[in-house]
Amino acid sequence: MPRTDRRDTWIGPDRTVRAAMSRRRFLTWTGAAAGLGFLPGVPSDAPVSPESSSGDHLFTLGVASGDPLPDGVVLWTRLAPRPLARGGGMRAARVVVDWELATDESMRHITRRGSVVATDDHGHSVHVDVRGLEPAREYFYRFRAAGDISVVGRTRTAPGYGSPVRELTFALASCQAWGDGHYVAYADMADHAPDVVFHLGDYIYEKPIPAGGGRRRTHAMPESAVREAMDLDDYRDRYALYKLDPHLQAAHRTSPFVTTFDDHEVDNNWAASVPEDGTPMPEFLLRRAAALKAWWENTPVRLAHHPRRTDIRAYRRFGFGDLVESNVLDTRTHRSDQVNGDNDCAQNAATADPRRTIIGAQQERWLLDGFAAGRHRWTVLAQQVPMADLARDRHGLRAVSMDGWSGYEASRARVLDGARDRGVGNLVSVVGDIHRNVVGDLRSTDTRESPTVGVELAGTSISSGADGTDSDVSDRALKAAS
């Protein structure tokens, strides 16, 4: 959403962040960040049972798997006997969690098993990176802890690198504001059981949920749900609420997810160290750190992507035989601030500034190097915001979003020209964010003379924006400008 009240206290004339913090303030902030548990700790040798389970089931938030490789997959769960209570009812308990992986749903043919310790440091979440598996193989898994046994989940490893693959079934998901409606799309997704699900961001929303649960019409919410999420406990509470949805649990239980974050996992339209409002940088960075830690705790991603103090590396690459290579991007953490007040408007010198970037120099090099080395039939960019130039007609003027790639013209040109120059064929961008289905050409500039480099598929929301309509004002404005 556009921001109309921006303060540039921490932003220089070129819209880049000034290094204006004193060393003392920076060390104060990084010390607090370390206190959030950003460096994975080593558990003690004396785990105990949860103090406050009161006989309740520990696996109320379900199970999940993700980030499939030809020889491995991540298994996830989070202990929460009272999921709507602060901390899930776990307090400071340290709990041994056993896990099993089998080739059959009845769990009779176990191929891997082990134990981990769930601690308060990571919100009692469990991330097991199982390796040594067979490629393109279906597996089943479950967890045990303190006498409780989880449901059985299904997952699937990726095909072997370079192996011939005729087809891959996948689904896209994004934008699931809990108070806007129910997750029936996930029930259908679970019925189809795709090989992999790409979640492209806005898994939770940080904004307050209306009293009474909005369109959900329920008062069964954490106390923090009626205010904006600001600290680690608030974000953990929000994930617990979302993950109680039975349809979302079914989708996670059925297929591995590849997950990235967009803005609402932290703050609407945030850009690197710049928040939506005028919050000073140190305070916002603490909030961002807490939000991204909660994102990692509640998604089936590897330990390597756990935030470390001030940094997170969420971009990564997945190959599916010789058919598809998927580049999962992070268009939030490394971007320059939005220009023109972050309001939809015509492109200008600010949007064309070559110094500005939406993915950062390091990620851009990683992406272009991947283009050069790629040998797949399809190259996919799995990302948060539209890359295609989705202009809208506003009273006869051509307006684009400053939050998408259209607000970062030079950055987009470097990537798309780089793909063309490296001989990338069949380039596909899949995105969320805009709550509508749109198919568009990928061009390095907005002129029709610019060659088409690929195609973009934008998927609609799971629930954000409620039921929607077949065509609304924004849709008609898009068509008028095309």
Side-chain angles (χ1 to χ4, degrees):
M1 295 176 61
R3 285 173 283 186
T4 56
D5 180 18
R6 302 295 301 261
R7 300 181 188 176
D8 293 336
T9 306
W10 297 94
I11 310 301
D14 61 351
R15 311 300 293 173
T16 57
V17 179
R18 290 177 182 169
M21 273 192 292
S22 68
R23 176 175 172 81
R24 178 174 178 272
R25 293 188 71 186
F26 176 77
L27 292 176
T28 299
W29 174 71
T30 53
L36 289 171
F38 273 54
L39 292 176
V42 177
S44 73
D45 295 326
V48 298
S49 297
E51 301 171 8
S52 56
S53 66
S54 304
D56 295 337
H57 205 281
L58 288 175
F59 300 104
T60 58
L61 301 182
V63 300
S65 67
D67 283 9
L69 301 174
D71 69 337
V73 71
V74 175
L75 308 180
W76 174 94
T77 192
R78 178 182 164 198
L79 309 182
R82 294 204 297 273
L84 298 182
R86 180 124 293 188
M90 292 298 295
R91 298 183 185 172
R94 306 176 69 84
V95 185
V96 172
V97 181
D98 301 320
W99 59 271
E100 297 176 316
L101 188 84
T103 55
D104 63 313
E105 192 171 1
S106 62
M107 303 297 294
R108 293 179 180 176
H109 302 287
I110 305 297
T111 61
R112 296 285 188 280
R113 57 162 45 100
S115 299
V116 294
V117 177
T119 69
D120 181 58
D121 290 344
H122 301 317
H124 290 97
S125 65
V126 172
H127 297 71
V128 181
D129 189 355
V130 186
R131 296 299 179 98
L133 305 181
E134 297 179 25
R137 179 69 186 266
E138 185 178 65
Y139 289 95
F140 299 87
Y141 61 95
R142 67 184 176 189
F143 299 91
R144 299 171 183 261
D148 288 338
I149 303 177
S150 74
V151 297
V152 174
R154 167 197 175 268
T155 191
R156 187 173 180 83
T157 53
Y161 295 117
S163 62
V165 177
R166 295 186 59 185
E167 63 179 19
L168 175 79
T169 60
F170 70 95
L172 303 179
S174 67
C175 305
Q176 52 192 51
W178 186 87
D180 280 7
H182 296 276
Y183 295 167
V184 292
Y186 278 126
D188 184 67
M189 195 180 296
D191 285 343
H192 285 83
D195 295 330
V196 63
V197 176
F198 289 92
H199 198 292
L200 303 173
D202 294 347
Y203 193 102
I204 64 164
Y205 278 65
E206 84 290 9
K207 300 301 182 186
I209 299 173
R215 291 169 64 90
R216 296 262 179 159
R217 299 181 182 177
T218 178
H219 293 281
M221 299 189 298
E223 292 182 5
S224 63
V226 296
R227 64 177 185 269
E228 185 154 344
M230 297 298 293
D231 60 25
L232 180 57
D233 285 329
D234 288 347
Y235 286 107
R236 285 173 170 171
D237 289 350
R238 202 65 57 96
Y239 279 100
L241 175 64
Y242 279 54
K243 284 183 168 293
L244 282 174
D245 184 276
H247 299 317
L248 177 57
Q249 287 197 13
H252 274 300
R253 190 169 61 244
T254 305
S255 299
F257 273 53
V258 173
T259 308
T260 188
F261 52 80
D262 193 17
D263 55 338
H264 288 291
E265 285 88 348
V266 181
D267 181 42
N268 181 52
N269 280 26
W270 63 282
S273 58
V274 183
E276 179 181 24
D277 58 19
T279 304
M281 184 195 295
E283 285 83 351
F284 174 69
L285 289 179
L286 275 175
R287 180 187 180 186
R288 189 190 81 174
L292 294 180
K293 177 172 170 57
W295 170 79
W296 178 85
E297 290 175 349
N298 288 278
T299 50
V301 296
R302 289 188 164 79
L303 183 64
H305 303 293
H306 185 288
R308 294 177 179 270
R309 295 190 185 273
T310 63
D311 299 322
I312 186 171
R313 174 164 172 166
Y315 59 90
R316 53 208 194 276
R317 186 175 287 122
F318 297 93
F320 298 89
D322 65 351
L323 184 63
V324 176
E325 184 170 71
S326 296
N327 301 274
V328 181
L329 303 186
D330 173 1
T331 61
R332 286 290 160 194
T333 310
H334 312 285
R335 69 159 66 196
S336 307
D337 191 19
Q338 297 92 338
V339 293
N340 298 318
D342 199 10
N343 295 304
D344 289 7
C345 64
Q347 289 159 321
N348 53 25
T351 63
D353 187 343
R355 295 172 297 177
R356 300 179 64 252
T357 177
I358 194 171
I359 58 174
Q362 182 176 345
Q363 186 176 185
E364 186 176 301
R365 287 193 300 272
W366 167 85
L367 183 57
L368 295 178
D369 288 346
F371 287 162
R375 296 295 183 268
H376 297 75
R377 277 178 277 167
W378 296 90
T379 299
V380 173
L381 304 177
Q383 56 178 317
Q384 298 80 0
V385 295
M387 194 174 209
D389 211 61
L390 300 181
R392 292 174 173 82
D393 184 86
R394 295 284 177 87
H395 308 295
L397 298 177
R398 187 179 183 282
V400 297
S401 168
M402 296 296 104
D403 190 56
W405 286 77
S406 293
Y408 301 80
E409 294 181 85
S411 190
R412 178 175 60 190
R414 289 193 296 269
V415 169
L416 293 182
D417 288 345
R420 182 197 61 209
D421 295 344
R422 288 160 178 79
V424 174
N426 295 334
L427 179 66
V428 178
S429 168
V430 294
V431 303
D433 184 62
I434 58 175
H435 306 173
R436 65 190 66 248
N437 296 306
V438 178
V439 179
D441 290 334
L442 292 177
R443 305 170 187 268
S444 61
T445 69
D446 61 8
T447 64
R448 292 190 179 274
E449 291 73 24
S450 178
T452 299
V453 180
V455 66
E456 182 162 78
L457 308 175
T460 191
S461 62
I462 293 293
S463 62
S464 302
D467 294 335
T469 60
D470 289 340
S471 181
D472 59 9
V473 173
S474 184
D475 173 63
R476 292 188 288 273
L478 276 170
K479 292 174 179 175
S482 62

